[in-house]
């Protein structure tokens, strides 16, 4: 779910009801107290475990989908396109992505893949994914909260779960200068 400033509405996409994965989209304006369906055509990917983040520079959404059909997808003008990026987040669940406006790229951290909890960091420049490796990084985790702090111009990460305990630590990502 995300706020779409172009529509000036909250949009809900995909999901899972215990039996079925969905690829439908709905919008809520907050005033009419009703949901309206958005027609995304027949090629919208099924999505229940995914990360979805808005790219304000392209007026689009980036989705990192797990399971089938996995990969990096873009939603622009109500049309889904799978991006040929060289890295697919196959079976990566319980992660999140955020857009870094100062560097015009996205960051993904951790999550789970095939029941293994991860602590890897990936950057996406709109064309290619690259892994960012550092000696000092958060421990393995999933279900964390990540956001971009506009005041400090940093990506912030809070909490999560490492398989045994809930974490309540906070980290900041200092972007590598190119």
């Amino acid at each position: 779910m995300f706020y779409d400033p172009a529509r000036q509405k909250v949009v809900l996409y995909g999901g899972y009801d215990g039996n079925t994965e969905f690829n439908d989209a709905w919008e809520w304006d907050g005033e009419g107290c009703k949901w309206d369906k958005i027609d995304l055509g027949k090629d919208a990917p099924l999505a229940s475990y995914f990360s979805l983040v808005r790219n304000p520079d392209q007026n689009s959404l980036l989705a990192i989908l797990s399971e089938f059909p996995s990969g990096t997808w873009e939603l622009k003008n109500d049309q889904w396109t799978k991006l040929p990026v060289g890295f697919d987040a196959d079976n990566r669940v319980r992660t999140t992505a955020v857009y870094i406006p100062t560097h015009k790229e996205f960051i993904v951290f951790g999550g789970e893949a095939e029941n293994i909890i991860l602590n890897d960091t990936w950057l996406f420049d709109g064309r290619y994914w690259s892994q960012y490796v550092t000696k000092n990084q958060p421990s393995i985790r999933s279900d964390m909260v990540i956001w971009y702090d506009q005041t400090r111009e940093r990506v912030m990460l809070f909490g999560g779960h490492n398989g045994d305990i809930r974490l309540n630590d906070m980290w900041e990502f200092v972007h590598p200068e190119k």
Side-chain angles (χ1 to χ4, degrees):
M1 188 179 294
F2 61 95
Y3 178 73
D4 183 350
R7 282 187 155 83
Q8 296 186 347
K9 296 180 181 180
V10 173
V11 176
L12 170 69
Y13 179 75
Y16 181 67
D17 71 359
N19 296 312
T20 305
E21 286 186 292
F22 295 98
N23 63 349
D24 55 348
W26 297 83
E27 61 186 14
W28 173 266
D29 66 13
E31 294 179 16
C33 295
K34 66 181 176 82
W35 288 95
D36 292 317
K37 189 168 186 177
I38 302 170
D39 182 13
L40 297 178
K42 62 179 174 42
D43 295 327
L46 296 172
S48 62
Y49 287 108
F50 63 100
S51 182
L52 185 66
V53 62
R54 186 172 178 275
N55 181 343
D57 298 324
Q58 298 294 320
N59 196 24
S60 65
L61 295 172
L62 182 80
I64 298 122
L65 302 180
S66 64
E67 299 173 343
F68 179 80
S70 64
T72 303
W73 291 73
E74 180 182 50
L75 176 63
K76 190 169 188 171
N77 300 322
D78 294 341
Q79 180 67 43
W80 282 103
T81 305
K82 185 172 183 180
L83 303 177
V85 296
F87 165 78
D88 283 341
D90 292 323
N91 298 318
R92 183 177 293 248
V93 299
R94 295 185 157 84
T95 189
T96 192
V98 69
Y99 183 68
I100 307 171
T102 54
H103 289 79
K104 309 276 187 228
E105 61 187 5
F106 300 85
I107 186 172
V108 171
F109 177 82
E112 296 179 28
E114 299 179 14
N115 295 320
I116 297 170
I117 302 174
L118 307 168
N119 72 330
D120 53 347
T121 302
W122 291 86
L123 297 172
F124 181 62
D125 65 5
R127 294 182 55 195
Y128 302 104
W129 285 100
S130 58
Q131 189 170 11
Y132 179 72
V133 180
T134 180
K135 293 179 185 176
N136 188 26
Q137 65 186 29
S139 61
I140 62 169
R141 67 188 64 211
S142 62
D143 300 315
M144 59 275 166
V145 177
I146 297 177
W147 72 96
Y148 181 75
D149 181 338
Q150 292 181 349
T151 302
R152 299 176 61 233
E153 296 184 344
R154 298 276 196 268
V155 172
M156 305 300 295
L157 178 150
F158 176 75
H161 191 266
N162 71 4
D164 296 320
I165 60 170
R166 293 264 175 219
L167 304 166
N168 67 353
D169 54 346
M170 185 174 293
W171 291 78
E172 70 178 357
F173 177 74
V174 180
H175 199 286
E177 294 304 321
K178 296 181 180 180

